[in-house]
Amino acid sequence: MYLNCHSYHSLRYGTLPLETLVQQALACGVTSLALTDINTVTGIYDFAKICRKEGIKPVVGMEFREGNRLRYIGLAKTQRGIGELCRLLTARNCEGTPLPDQAPAFGDAIIIYPLSNVPQQLGEDEYIGIRPSELNLLVQEKWKRLLPRMVALNPVTVSGKREHNLHRILRAIDLNVVLSRLSEEDCCRVDEYMRPAGELLEIYGDYPQIVANTARIMEACNFEFDFATPKNKRHYTGNREGDIKLLTGLAYAGLKKRYGEKNRPARERVDKELRVIDELGFSGYFLITWDIVRYSNSMGFMHVGRGSGANSIVAYCLGITDICPLELDLYFERFLNLNRKTPPDFDIDWSWQERDVILQYIFDRYGKEHVAFCGTNVEFKYRSIFREVGKVFGLPKEELDGLATQPMELHDDNAVVVAVHKYGKMLEKFPNQRSMHACGILISEAPITDYTALEMPPKGFRIVQFDMHVAEDIGFEKFDILSQRGLGSINDAVKLIRKNRGIQVDIRDTTLSKGEKRCNEFLGLGQTIGCFYIESPAMRGLLRRLKCDNYPTLVAASSIIRPGVAQSGMMKEYIFRHNYPDRFEYFHEVFEEHLGDTYGIMVYQEDVIKVAMHFGGLSAADGDILRRAMSGKGRSLSALQRVKDNFFASCARLGHSEELSREVYRQIESFAGYSFCKAHSASYAVESYQSLYLKVHYPLEFMVAVINNQGGFYRTEVYVHEARMSGAHILNPCINKSGYETTLYGTDVYLGLMLLQGLEGRLAEGIVEERERNGDFVSLEDFVRRIPIGIEGVQLLIFIGAFRFTGKPKSELLVQARLLLVNFKPEQRMPLLLQEPAKEWSLPKLERSYFEDAFDEIELLGFPVSCSPFDLLQTAFRGDVMAADLVNCHKKEVRMLAYLISRKHVPTKRGVMYFGTWIDVNGDYFDTAHFPDCLERYPFRGGGCYLLLGTVEVDYHFPTLTIHKMAKLPFIPDPRYSHDRDNQYKIHQQIREDVSMTHRKPYPQAHEIGLPRRKMG
């Protein structure tokens, strides 16, 4: 009887989670139920599963609306009917085709019209829905004659009055109005809740024909969906035989290129993988990925294939990845095995500048009917909930900011705030809007609208209406097409090297960097700022503690730095064993034989499989099941229990003592859920080496590229500092030398116009385009004549020194600009046949302090360029010890003066602490530790220079200054405001620091790790 139910997937309208809707139906004795969310099929697949589990027949469809106007309700008689409904909505969403007042003739869908939109003539599968409150209208002849085509329409949107209030709040949020401005038409009716089946039958008891029609419709709708069959595009060549033939040919060609003709282990591994790929029917998936990479290579783009896909030698031979699985002992079963029924998952990175070209190729190559981005449901979050709910209650902005930023216990306790809390808590985990998955692409065999309606976000690529979890559930596996700035930095650096030095660096040749001596020296010293993945303070500290000087150690470091691995305590133990290999024993020979390269410690996800196989006697495929179950990717606790029982039974058969088996399982259990894929680490390490190679041998080009790709872990100032330390002459933006981005001329680095805070991007680009078209600007007057700019923009450029080529001081240029622009008319901006000489005014000479330029730079760039931050201090003291000396000061108390670069928030069992990163007056970096008791008395007070007092602790070659006291030192007053005391210290507040927050449990202490260092039974 329930033909029209809404879940909370009817965004900002419905109030019922799918589970709640089905449970209410159970409680009301409902045996069949229809989900018809507004303009979406997001929930139909989860709904069908939940219904079948509870013994209810699922009927699925969609409610078509334009604004508040209900056009009609569509119910799918079959899976094909869903496709028909989805295509109608897709045309409206993606092509702007208005929804027709009358639905088109469908072959496998039933249409129900409300009384407010009854067409002149009804089609075969078209009916009129009549609500309980409308039954009295049937006394009228015009409705009575349509009785044979009527069905019961009792919409379900809420559970009762409380949820109706929540519904009204959702509607007000959606319409961006206060509650009092909602009209009756904006909301559902108060009676849109589920009644017991008997009560509903009684309501329509006088109209048995309506009841019979309704039952007939429910019976006619049979949504039998095949969840098991893969929905991805099956074949690349058109058939399975053609796919495996092409894949085999490509794999053998790649095998010859990568390994030569006589590498037997590589050939055997390729053959083994090809058999599994063919048996599982995944040849097409590999070939589509190869095709995308082939196109990328043809465009000269650089990509990184990472993730578990790098465990495949076939992927390596096809050029999808650059990681040799034989070199690193990577298990193919970690990626693909006969127990895995879903397709593999390739993660491929491109530069953020080139990714859209790749996406456009995929959509064009495989057709818009078959390609779409995965969707994602953006939920109401803590901050947004209270802000949104408070807004509809009419709270002012200041109170909304307080609700959004302060803990709940600090909120007022007045009636309105209590109501905001009440409804805000009810909204928690509700979907708020649909968005585009960051990287997941679906390529389907059948038209993708067979499964979902599509939407067109501003980005311009179509998205499906469900998320990645539903996609996987119904048989899709996404292609992850990712982007990152690290590849952009590498790409741009290579281009700059070619332009600046005439050298072509083949950075794709991974042998170029991995074994390079100077790269390894930089790595061991942690001199890696700007380099992908290895530039953070924590990573640089780890590299120094390990004295990392080779690729395998970097691969391990890339894994153990991950929060989960450190959380398990494995990071601390690894550092100890790496530095003191003679101070521990392998507690079992299997760990020495198979985990010897990581000192018997499970560092990677693959290590779980190794231990399961070689210690526990399980197959590689069963080991992967254990890993997936441990990591939360398993389907159920019962599946995990079966694998656990199998592990212990197998250990007993192999003769392992129960104590030993339990210790091994404890390690697996503590580690598996947090571990990192070795292939992923290896892929990261290759890219880290590539960027490090460029930093070591071409530091200026590399740092300029990093600046232009908007950096990584740090702010632009840090990368500018790195460029200066590498020998660059840093120059402020200049309208005749600077590009939109930062430019390099020999060793001169001109900061880009894009870095100027307050200069509009289009204007900055326009300056460069005009200069390239018509030559350099010869004067301020020439610039004003050629560029559409106001006095504020001209002043900004003058203050940063962009007109210094004129030889005139800033003060004179400012006066000249005002004289030029006071009566300037836009029509005067046109090319002149003959260039008139610039007007020269006789102006009084105005003196400027040397430091005024530095404060202009802080205001417009965020950091000083013409001098060091240390030059702005009121004190001449520069500290007793420099960063380079710290390694020789173990346990000594020292005073240092340093400029704050960044600080990282770290939770501990004693409270919050911070790790700080600083530079001394020589420009060298060092790190500090600030424990909770010290922070309470000596907190950070923003960016700037501090006097530090602390004790040096050298931990495995890496010195850290444990702070006892610190004080922020004052800069000189801003000389530009020498007659304005109120503003003399205003700009100082713009000096920044990088702050990173950590949301995790405290790491365990050494005594809590409990990893045996002695042999067990």
Side-chain angles (χ1 to χ4, degrees):
M1 293 291 283
Y2 286 100
L3 301 172
N4 182 210
C5 297
H6 306 114
S7 75
Y8 62 10
H9 289 298
S10 292
L11 298 180
R12 300 179 178 183
Y13 192 94
T15 65
L16 300 168
L18 293 170
E19 293 82 356
T20 304
L21 179 64
V22 174
Q23 288 304 315
Q24 287 187 5
L26 268 179
C28 290
V30 174
T31 55
S32 59
L33 189 67
L35 179 68
T36 54
D37 277 315
I38 298 169
N39 295 339
T40 186
V41 291
T42 302
I44 63 172
Y45 299 104
D46 284 342
F47 172 76
K49 281 196 161 185
I50 296 167
C51 280
R52 296 205 185 281
K53 183 181 175 185
E54 299 295 348
I56 293 175
K57 178 184 178 181
V59 174
V60 298
M62 197 185 323
E63 182 178 301
F64 293 87
R65 280 183 180 244
E66 288 286 7
N68 286 337
R69 190 178 172 206
L70 169 59
R71 295 292 174 85
Y72 29 80
I73 298 154
L75 297 174
K77 290 198 286 185
T78 64
Q79 170 63 33
R80 286 193 301 275
I82 281 293
E84 291 177 326
L85 299 175
C86 288
R87 279 184 274 280
L88 174 61
L89 189 67
T90 297
R92 177 252 200 188
N93 290 345
C94 299
E95 293 154 27
T97 307
L99 285 176
D101 278 341
Q102 183 168 4
F106 293 127
D108 283 276
I110 293 168
I111 295 296
I112 300 165
Y113 292 95
L115 286 188
S116 59
N117 187 38
V118 177
Q120 292 290 324
Q121 191 169 354
L122 292 169
E124 182 183 349
D125 276 327
E126 295 186 335
Y127 295 85
I128 300 166
I130 187 160
R131 292 169 175 257
S133 59
E134 296 167 339
L135 287 172
N136 59 337
L137 296 176
L138 293 182
V139 298
Q140 300 176 23
E141 184 57 36
K142 71 171 184 174
W143 298 120
K144 189 185 293 184
R145 64 184 178 80
L146 292 171
L147 192 61
R149 305 304 300 275
M150 286 187 173
V151 294
L153 187 63
N154 189 94
V156 175
T157 306
V158 298
S159 294
K161 184 177 179 182
R162 184 170 181 240
E163 274 74 20
H164 192 268
N165 290 338
L166 182 65
H167 163 79
R168 293 184 70 248
I169 287 166
L170 285 168
R171 299 302 301 129
I173 290 172
D174 187 52
L175 297 168
N176 197 24
V177 297
V178 294
L179 282 168
S180 59
R181 297 292 300 276
L182 283 176
S183 68
E184 197 172 302
E185 290 74 29
D186 292 329
C187 304
C188 76
R189 301 182 192 180
V190 291
D191 63 352
E192 291 192 15
Y193 57 87
M194 193 167 289
R195 314 161 196 257
E199 183 181 326
L200 200 58
L201 285 170
E202 191 176 327
I203 289 170
Y204 288 93
D206 293 336
Y207 301 98
Q209 198 167 7
I210 291 177
V211 174
N213 288 344
T214 308
R216 192 158 50 249
I217 285 177
M218 296 297 262
E219 193 175 331
C221 294
N222 293 290
F223 181 62
E224 299 289 344
F225 188 79
D226 178 8
F227 286 88
T229 304
K231 308 300 185 299
N232 280 55
K233 182 173 176 61
R234 286 196 291 272
H235 306 301
Y236 178 78
T237 63
N239 59 70
R240 182 169 179 167
E241 294 73 21
D243 281 359
I244 191 60
K245 183 178 179 182
L246 176 59
L247 183 63
T248 301
L250 292 169
Y252 285 163
L255 175 68
K256 183 178 178 181
K257 182 179 176 183
R258 295 282 198 184
Y259 295 99
E261 295 186 356
K262 297 181 179 179
N263 191 317
R264 187 173 175 181
R267 176 65 182 252
E268 289 174 352
R269 173 75 175 255
V270 167
D271 290 340
K272 169 191 161 186
E273 288 192 16
L274 286 171
R275 282 195 299 273
V276 174
I277 292 166
D278 182 39
E279 188 171 339
L280 291 173
F282 292 153
S283 301
Y285 192 95
F286 273 76
L287 288 169
I288 291 169
T289 309
W290 163 79
D291 174 59
I292 295 166
V293 167
R294 178 179 63 165
Y295 172 75
S296 171
N297 292 337
S298 75
M299 296 295 290
F301 296 165
M302 185 176 172
H303 76 278
V304 171
R306 58 178 174 86
S308 60
N311 287 57
S312 167
I313 197 171
V314 170
Y316 181 55
C317 290
L318 264 59
I320 295 170
T321 68
D322 276 318
I323 304 301
C324 171
L326 299 182
E327 177 189 2
L328 294 171
D329 193 23
L330 302 178
Y331 284 32
F332 179 60
E333 289 80 6
R334 164 65 183 85
F335 177 54
L336 196 59
N337 59 70
L338 294 176
N339 286 326
R340 182 172 183 172
K341 302 307 178 188
T342 56
D345 190 1
F346 283 114
D347 296 339
I348 307 180
D349 288 335
W350 276 271
S351 161
W352 64 282
Q353 301 147 315
E354 296 165 348
R355 177 180 179 246
D356 281 359
V357 178
I358 299 297
L359 293 175
Q360 193 62 58
Y361 171 76
I362 296 169
F363 275 78
D364 292 344
R365 171 75 172 80
Y366 296 98
K368 66 179 184 180
E369 294 82 12
H370 297 270
V371 184
F373 257 95
C374 213
T376 181
N377 285 318
V378 180
E379 297 175 345
F380 281 102
K381 297 291 195 305
Y382 176 87
R383 291 175 185 271
S384 67
I385 288 177
F386 290 143
R387 190 181 293 281
E388 296 276 21
V389 177
K391 196 189 299 181
V392 304
F393 277 101
L395 294 179
K397 184 181 182 302
E398 308 78 57
E399 289 192 51
L400 295 176
D401 291 342
L403 289 174
T405 58
Q406 295 174 353
M408 282 180 62
E409 54 268 22
L410 298 181
H411 293 178
D412 290 337
D413 58 358
N414 60 57
V416 174
V417 172
V418 169
V420 169
H421 283 179
K422 171 185 171 184
Y423 291 108
K425 287 176 184 174
M426 291 170 70
L427 278 179
E428 212 167 358
K429 300 295 182 186
F430 268 45
N432 182 18
Q433 57 191 20
R434 268 184 299 279
S435 185
M436 191 168 96
H437 187 277
C439 57
I441 297 262
L442 307 180
I443 304 177
S444 67
E445 177 70 21
I448 210 157
T449 48
D450 282 4
Y451 311 103
T452 174
L454 302 176
E455 297 180 357
M456 183 69 82
K459 182 79 174 175
F461 295 112
R462 296 178 172 204
I463 64 171
V464 300
Q465 291 188 321
F466 45 70
D467 63 21
M468 58 180 282
H469 304 293
V470 173
E472 184 176 346
D473 221 25
I474 67 175
F476 280 109
E477 193 72 14
K478 64 189 187 316
F479 294 77
D480 282 338
I481 309 297
L482 304 106
S483 69
Q484 47 153 285
R485 296 190 180 274
L487 278 175
S489 298
I490 292 171
N491 269 337
D492 288 353
V494 170
K495 292 173 187 173
L496 265 175
I497 294 162
R498 186 170 61 241
K499 179 182 175 184
N500 203 42
R501 304 198 192 194
I503 298 171
Q504 181 63 54
V505 179
D506 183 10
I507 201 64
R508 296 188 194 191
D509 179 3
T510 56
T511 60
L512 193 69
S513 55
K514 283 197 296 189
E516 212 278 332
K517 184 180 177 184
R518 285 195 64 210
C519 288
N520 286 331
E521 288 173 0
F522 271 56
L523 201 61
L525 295 170
Q527 294 179 3
T528 54
I529 285 181
C531 299
F532 173 76
Y533 198 69
I534 55 172
E535 66 166 337
S536 71
M539 191 65 180
R540 289 188 300 107
L542 176 60
L543 295 174
R544 290 184 67 179
R545 287 182 174 95
L546 296 174
K547 282 193 175 177
C548 178
D549 63 355
N550 58 73
Y551 176 61
T553 304
L554 181 58
V555 173
S558 299
S559 182
I560 63 176
I561 194 68
R562 303 288 290 187
V565 184
Q567 184 75 54
S568 71
M570 300 294 186
M571 181 171 75
K572 284 187 177 181
E573 187 64 20
Y574 182 91
I575 295 169
F576 171 82
R577 294 187 180 194
H578 179 81
N579 282 281
Y580 303 113
D582 57 341
R583 287 168 58 177
F584 76 94
E585 293 176 358
Y586 291 94
F587 71 95
H588 192 274
E589 54 269 18
V590 163
F591 285 74
E592 183 173 11
E593 182 182 352
H594 295 283
L595 303 183
D597 57 340
T598 55
Y599 313 107
I601 295 170
M602 284 182 280
V603 169
Y604 313 108
Q605 289 177 345
E606 288 82 354
D607 293 342
V608 174
I609 303 175
K610 286 183 182 180
V611 170
M613 285 175 61
H614 301 293
F615 179 84
L618 304 182
S619 68
D622 283 347
D624 190 52
I625 292 174
L626 178 65
R627 177 198 63 79
R628 287 173 65 83
M630 289 280 189
S631 63
K633 295 182 179 179
R635 289 297 174 195
S636 66
L637 288 173
S638 60
L640 177 57
Q641 187 61 48
R642 282 196 300 274
V643 175
K644 182 177 180 179
D645 292 343
N646 190 17
F647 175 82
F648 280 109
S650 181
C651 286
R653 284 195 299 274
L654 291 170
H656 298 314
S657 70
E658 186 175 342
E659 179 190 13
L660 178 61
S661 300
R662 291 200 177 281
E663 172 56 29
V664 171
Y665 193 81
R666 183 194 71 79
Q667 289 184 35
I668 292 174
E669 203 166 31
S670 69
F671 176 63
Y674 302 111
S675 55
F676 198 42
C677 169
K678 185 176 184 179
H680 211 93
S681 292
S683 303
Y684 275 5
V686 167
E687 188 177 345
S688 298
Y689 258 115
Q690 288 169 325
S691 53
L692 181 60
Y693 179 85
L694 295 172
K695 177 184 172 72
V696 169
H697 294 283
Y698 309 97
L700 301 192
E701 289 85 357
F702 180 69
M703 293 319 303
V704 167
V706 172
I707 292 166
N708 288 336
N709 282 273
Q710 290 142 59
F713 187 88
Y714 305 96
R715 61 191 182 276
T716 300
E717 177 184 7
V718 179
Y719 302 112
V720 171
H721 171 72
E722 278 288 296
R724 183 182 282 115
M725 293 291 286
S726 300
H729 180 212
I730 306 297
L731 296 158
N732 280 322
C734 169
I735 60 166
N736 278 340
K737 287 288 190 180
S738 292
Y740 177 72
E741 297 180 328
T742 296
T743 47
L744 178 65
Y745 302 90
T747 59
D748 289 343
V749 173
Y750 281 86
L751 298 180
L753 296 172
M754 65 181 278
L755 298 179
L756 283 172
Q757 298 169 17
L759 187 68
E760 189 182 352
R762 280 179 297 182
L763 177 59
E765 290 172 341
I767 292 170
V768 178
E769 289 166 4
E770 168 59 26
R771 187 181 74 215
E772 289 173 350
R773 274 196 307 268
N774 298 310
D776 283 0
F777 302 99
V778 297
S779 65
L780 176 60
E781 184 178 357
D782 178 41
F783 178 81
V784 168
R785 189 185 298 123
R786 290 163 60 183
I787 299 295
I789 191 170
I791 186 64
E792 294 85 0
V794 173
Q795 286 182 164
L796 186 151
L797 290 167
I798 290 171
F799 280 128
I800 204 59
F803 294 97
R804 58 189 179 275
F805 67 92
T806 64
K808 296 179 180 179
K810 292 181 182 180
S811 48
E812 185 176 327
L813 288 167
L814 288 167
V815 175
Q816 185 182 347
R818 289 186 174 88
L819 291 171
L820 281 169
L821 286 167
V822 66
N823 293 317
F824 190 84
K825 295 180 175 58
E827 57 267 23
Q828 293 175 271
R829 285 197 178 98
M830 58 183 66
L832 298 177
L833 188 61
L834 294 172
Q835 184 69 48
E836 297 178 8
K839 293 176 184 175
E840 295 292 338
W841 285 276
S842 179
L843 300 171
K845 190 169 183 180
L846 301 172
E847 297 295 330
R848 273 177 66 87
S849 158
Y850 165 74
F851 291 116
E852 286 188 53
D853 287 342
F855 281 94
D856 284 340
E857 291 154 3
I858 293 168
E859 183 171 354
L860 298 174
L861 293 170
F863 53 91
V865 174
S866 56
C867 71
S868 157
F870 295 95
D871 297 331
L872 300 177
L873 286 169
Q874 295 181 16
T875 178
F877 179 70
R878 294 296 180 260
D880 298 329
V881 174
M882 295 294 114
D885 304 322
L886 288 177
V887 74
N888 301 315
C889 297
H890 184 49
K891 295 298 181 184
K892 291 181 181 176
E893 187 173 82
V894 299
R895 276 194 316 165
M896 301 184 72
L897 192 144
Y899 182 62
L900 180 58
I901 296 297
S902 67
R903 57 186 168 104
K904 181 178 178 63
H905 158 277
V906 178
T908 73
K909 291 181 179 178
R910 291 165 51 193
V912 169
M913 71 172 290
Y914 277 93
F915 288 111
T917 299
W918 312 74
I919 57 169
D920 64 13
V921 71
N922 295 331
D924 295 324
Y925 298 90
F926 69 95
D927 293 85
T928 55
H930 305 253
F931 289 96
D933 52 348
C934 173
L935 278 171
E936 196 172 324
R937 286 173 289 145
Y938 304 103
F940 286 91
R941 300 194 182 279
C945 292
Y946 287 72
L947 181 62
L948 308 171
L949 178 70
T951 300
V952 179
E953 304 283 346
V954 181
D955 179 43
Y956 302 107
H957 335 291
F958 177 63
T960 301
L961 185 64
T962 300
I963 298 299
H964 306 319
K965 296 179 180 180
M966 74 173 181
K968 187 175 177 182
L969 298 183
F971 284 146
I972 60 172
D974 187 341
R976 304 173 306 168
Y977 296 99
S978 56
H979 302 295
D980 181 0
R981 288 183 174 276
D982 292 341
N983 285 307
Q984 280 187 332
Y985 292 93
K986 184 178 178 183
I987 298 304
H988 300 61
Q989 296 167 14
Q990 288 184 225
I991 295 175
R992 292 179 50 206
E993 56 177 327
D994 293 316
V995 182
S996 55
M997 303 300 291
T998 309
H999 303 287
R1000 59 163 171 78
K1001 295 177 182 176
Y1003 287 162
Q1005 298 302 304
H1007 68 276
E1008 297 172 313
I1009 297 169
L1011 197 67
R1013 291 179 182 169
R1014 292 288 175 266
K1015 190 169 184 176
M1016 293 179 67

